[in-house]
Amino acid sequence: MRKHPALHIFLVLCLLLPHAAALSRDAYLQQVTKSGAIVTWVGAAGSVEYGTAVGTYSNSVTATDAGSTAAGQHWAAAITGLTPGTKYYYQVREGGTAVSTGPEYYFTTAGQAPPARWAFAVAGDPGEPGFVGSTFTSIDQQTPRPDLVLIPGD
């Protein structure tokens, strides 16, 4: 019987290193209003933590079952009671693990009146979940910074 030390080392490392869960489809926003927003994703049951400072999530809401498709199980977390015109940062958690990928996620609730001028960006479907973060990073670095970003899906 031939031994494969490299395979054994690989298997041991896989067992010892911490694993980060991954969403089947990265989180996206729906129905952002003056006082709320819905965060949706495909993956496992979980929650959304959110707050008004980068990396500080002082609030949490549990997601509800939003049905399933060929892509997997969909989840939706309805965040309510927000302040108009306020920027909120958020992350998705499945179990006790943060599973949102890419840069810090955020949205701004609608204000009292729309701005006189605003910018928007449209990007094609990134095709792979791993490209979503780099797409948003690229859009986020544009000047003027877009007030609205559309990424049409399948």
Side-chain angles (χ1 to χ4, degrees):
M1 174 184 230
R2 187 172 175 192
K3 295 185 179 187
H4 299 282
L7 178 61
H8 292 133
I9 292 170
F10 174 75
L11 292 174
V12 169
L13 287 175
C14 287
L15 293 172
L16 294 177
L17 293 176
H19 295 283
L23 299 173
S24 298
R25 174 75 53 129
D26 223 345
Y28 56 96
L29 292 169
Q30 296 180 318
Q31 302 176 18
V32 178
T33 66
K34 291 180 183 180
S35 61
I38 298 174
V39 180
T40 308
W41 70 92
V42 177
S47 62
V48 172
E49 295 180 333
Y50 62 97
T52 56
V54 174
T56 303
Y57 310 107
S58 53
N59 303 290
S60 179
V61 62
T62 301
T64 59
D65 182 337
S68 63
T69 64
Q73 183 63 46
H74 294 252
W75 297 93
I79 302 171
T80 59
L82 303 178
T83 304
T86 304
K87 188 174 193 175
Y88 290 90
Y89 298 89
Y90 68 97
Q91 69 177 357
V92 174
R93 295 185 78 79
E94 290 180 349
T97 305
V99 292
S100 304
T101 59
E104 187 83 25
Y105 288 163
Y106 65 89
F107 63 90
T108 302
T109 51
Q112 299 302 326
R117 295 185 70 175
W118 57 278
F120 70 95
V122 178
D125 184 355
E128 296 292 329
F131 296 133
V132 173
S134 62
T135 300
F136 276 113
T137 298
S138 177
I139 291 170
D140 194 45
Q141 295 171 350
Q142 298 299 310
T143 304
R145 191 160 177 231
D147 297 299
L148 171 68
V149 176
L150 299 174
I151 299 184
D154 301 344

